[in-house]
Amino acid sequence: MANKNTLPDTTTTNVTDPTEPVRVTFADVSAAPYRIREGVPQTPCELSKMSESLGMQVYFKKDYLLHTGSFKERGARNTLIMLSDEQKKKGVIAASAGNHALALSYHGQQLGIPVTVVMPTNAPINKVASCRKYGANVHVQGSDLIDSKDIAFKMCKANGLQYINGYDHPNILAGAGTMGLEIMEQVKDVEAVIIPVGGGGLIAGVAVAVKTLSPSTLVIGVESERCPSFTAAMKAGKPVKIDVNQAMTLADGLCVSKVGNNAFHTANQLIDRMITVSEEYIALAVLRLVEEEKATIEGAGSTGLAACLAGLVPELKGKRVVIALCGGNIDSTVLGRCLERGLAADGRLVRFVVTVSDRPGGIAELTRLLANIGASVKDIFHERAWLTSSIFSVQVKVVAEIRDRDHGNELKEALTSRYGKAFLWGAHYNCQSS
């Protein structure tokens, strides 16, 4: 086992000092598997059914199968085990709305270390309940994660607790890097790894492992275009704060306004490329994983596949690629919305507006046309009050489910042929023709 003191003593050192970043080394990462082996099993890295359609040999690293549903367990257990005996008695604290809180709570319970988590008021109820089930002292305070972190820092000082940053603590990074070690062991001759990026902890640890063992293997990071904090940091040459809104992205787990300082300085020179991906392709990736892989993955964990579906990695065609599916903790309501957005992005859910006669049989004729084409009506709404056309007309807004884009084109042509200018395809709800 590598020397435990490779990393600084986290009970006395400010490990997030921007002037003295801690760069995690391969010795740090390679020592972590021994520590966490009893509580964090290896996860599968299996060939995907989507390889042919993607034009590359894709393997999925399935960290969503860990007990709490994400890769965060790797760093959490590694960090808890490395605490001093005195600090293990006092306990630790963290601010988190999800996966880090779950991982810390679960492994704290397993190791007998008191864990306090401060969760913002918008944290999912089921995650709050799970943290309590794992024995954590949960405080639901703060309008957002920044507020929660400020509260946690105050509690940390008042109670002698050790604050554990979920994406920048050096021991968290070293633990996360065990995913990279497993990938290199499980898949021969890996040519690229694609890692979702939020605060940067996972890609930092994985990049250290992968680039040490195989310098020619590409390390590619993927962010949502609505929270590209690591991309901004690489352009600036240092972590910078950007404006983000967690409610605006399906990849809420990656929504970090400023990446970790230690994570950035560890990963920056090892990352070959950073990519930002649109929300529609994140939704499509969630859908594809449910349908093709029978895997329920959160938006944050699906961004690697999203980049492939969007055609953003043409250099990987025909190559052996590992994509990290790093989290599966998605709320059922959010999952439903993701799937619908994915169907829309895939051209299998369409909407249109058509003005038809408000006489008996007008709606029947429309639905008959849809039935003959083979389209299924998912939603229908009638509008009369705001029409400026004939009072004997009604505007009908329809959401329909179809097989694919070709089927959609067939439906569009049929509607255009029958209703002409009284028909509009897409999101335009201003059809006024009679």
Side-chain angles (χ1 to χ4, degrees), residues 282-343:
I282 295 174
L284 182 58
V286 172
L287 175 67
R288 284 282 191 274
L289 287 164
V290 168
E291 292 186 328
E292 301 285 341
E293 297 291 326
K294 314 307 176 192
T296 305
I297 308 299
E298 61 191 273
S302 306
T303 55
L305 175 60
C308 297
L309 293 173
L312 299 176
V313 284
E315 70 274 24
L316 301 185
K317 289 294 182 182
K319 294 189 176 181
R320 186 170 295 182
V321 181
V322 173
I323 300 175
L325 301 182
C326 52
N329 292 316
I330 184 170
D331 294 335
S332 55
T333 52
V334 175
L335 175 61
R337 294 168 188 167
C338 278
L339 295 179
E340 287 204 336
R341 291 191 182 190
L343 287 168

Side-chain angles (χ1 to χ4, degrees), residues 163-197:
Y163 185 82
I164 307 296
N165 186 305
Y167 55 83
D168 202 41
H169 194 291
N171 299 338
I172 290 283
L173 272 58
T178 61
M179 178 194 286
L181 296 177
E182 290 178 17
I183 287 172
M184 301 309 290
E185 179 184 336
Q186 292 169 313
V187 182
K188 184 180 179 181
D189 301 327
V190 179
E191 294 173 276
V193 293
I194 303 179
I195 307 294
V197 178

Side-chain angles (χ1 to χ4, degrees), residues 18 21-24 230 237-239 260-269:
V22 177
R23 289 178 173 82
V24 174
F230 209 101
K238 62 180 181 179
N261 190 51
N262 301 323
F264 175 76
H265 287 284
T266 297
N268 187 34
Q269 299 301 315

Side-chain angles (χ1 to χ4, degrees), residues 3 15 30 53 69 106-107 112 125 142 144 169 176 185 212 245 254 264 267 316 337 386 399:
N3 189 341
V15 294
S30 60
S53 62
Y106 173 70
H107 286 282
I125 295 174
D144 56 28
H169 194 291
E185 179 184 336
T212 301
N245 184 344
L254 303 182
F264 175 76
L316 301 185
R337 294 168 188 167
W386 285 272
V399 176

Side-chain angles (χ1 to χ4, degrees), residues 34-360:
Y34 180 82
R35 296 192 195 98
I36 70 173
R37 70 192 188 285
E38 292 183 4
V40 183
Q42 279 200 9
T43 57
C45 192
E46 299 172 334
L47 185 65
S48 169
K49 300 173 185 176
M50 288 185 271
S51 292
E52 184 175 351
S53 62
L54 292 171
M56 59 186 82
Q57 197 172 351
V58 173
Y59 291 81
F60 285 132
K61 181 59 173 167
K62 301 182 177 181
D63 263 33
Y64 66 93
L65 294 175
L66 289 171
H67 187 87
T68 64
S70 86
F71 79 96
K72 291 287 189 179
E73 292 191 30
R74 298 174 181 275
R77 191 172 184 91
N78 188 54
T79 303
L80 290 170
I81 288 175
M82 291 188 72
L83 294 171
S84 67
D85 291 340
E86 180 183 358
Q87 195 62 52
K88 287 178 181 178
K89 293 177 182 177
K90 291 180 180 179
V92 299
I93 188 170
S96 169
N99 291 341
H100 178 53
L102 288 169
L104 210 57
S105 300
Y106 173 70
H107 286 282
Q109 184 184 62
Q110 296 294 304
L111 296 167
I113 299 172
V115 172
T116 300
V117 292
V118 183
M119 307 181 79
T121 54
N122 62 355
I125 295 174
N126 63 326
K127 292 184 180 178
V128 174
S130 293
C131 288
R132 287 189 171 129
K133 181 183 73 174
Y134 294 140
N137 180 17
V138 180
H139 297 264
V140 182
Q141 297 179 31
S143 59
D144 56 28
L145 197 56
I146 294 175
D147 283 347
S148 297
K149 186 178 288 187
D150 289 340
I151 293 168
F153 278 136
K154 292 177 183 177
M155 295 175 65
C156 175
K157 293 178 181 178
N159 300 295
L161 304 175
Q162 172 69 47
Y163 185 82
I164 307 296
N165 186 305
Y167 55 83
D168 202 41
H169 194 291
N171 299 338
I172 290 283
L173 272 58
T178 61
M179 178 194 286
L181 296 177
E182 290 178 17
I183 287 172
M184 301 309 290
E185 179 184 336
Q186 292 169 313
V187 182
K188 184 180 179 181
D189 301 327
V190 179
E191 294 173 276
V193 293
I194 303 179
I195 307 294
V197 178
L202 178 60
I203 197 168
V206 169
V208 168
V210 170
K211 284 296 188 181
T212 301
L213 295 172
S214 177
S216 64
T217 299
L218 299 177
V219 175
I220 298 173
V222 185
E223 300 176 295
S224 165
E225 63 183 12
R226 294 188 180 177
C227 47
S229 51
F230 209 101
T231 300
M234 292 184 80
K235 289 179 180 178
K238 62 180 181 179
V240 291
K241 188 174 182 179
I242 64 172
D243 292 329
V244 296
N245 184 344
Q246 197 172 42
M248 295 299 292
T249 176
L250 296 173
D252 58 301
L254 303 182
C255 195
V256 175
S257 61
K258 185 178 181 181
V259 301
N261 190 51
N262 301 323
F264 175 76
H265 287 284
T266 297
N268 187 34
Q269 299 301 315
L270 302 175
I271 296 174
D272 293 285
R273 189 176 168 210
M274 281 297 304
I275 296 171
T276 58
V277 68
S278 70
E279 293 292 300
E280 68 173 342
Y281 279 103
I282 295 174
L284 182 58
V286 172
L287 175 67
R288 284 282 191 274
L289 287 164
V290 168
E291 292 186 328
E292 301 285 341
E293 297 291 326
K294 314 307 176 192
T296 305
I297 308 299
E298 61 191 273
S302 306
T303 55
L305 175 60
C308 297
L309 293 173
L312 299 176
V313 284
E315 70 274 24
L316 301 185
K317 289 294 182 182
K319 294 189 176 181
R320 186 170 295 182
V321 181
V322 173
I323 300 175
L325 301 182
C326 52
N329 292 316
I330 184 170
D331 294 335
S332 55
T333 52
V334 175
L335 175 61
R337 294 168 188 167
C338 278
L339 295 179
E340 287 204 336
R341 291 191 182 190
L343 287 168
D346 205 23
R348 293 156 56 191
L349 200 64
V350 297
R351 58 179 174 173
F352 60 86
V353 180
V354 61
T355 303
V356 303
S357 170
D358 205 16
R359 304 286 191 181

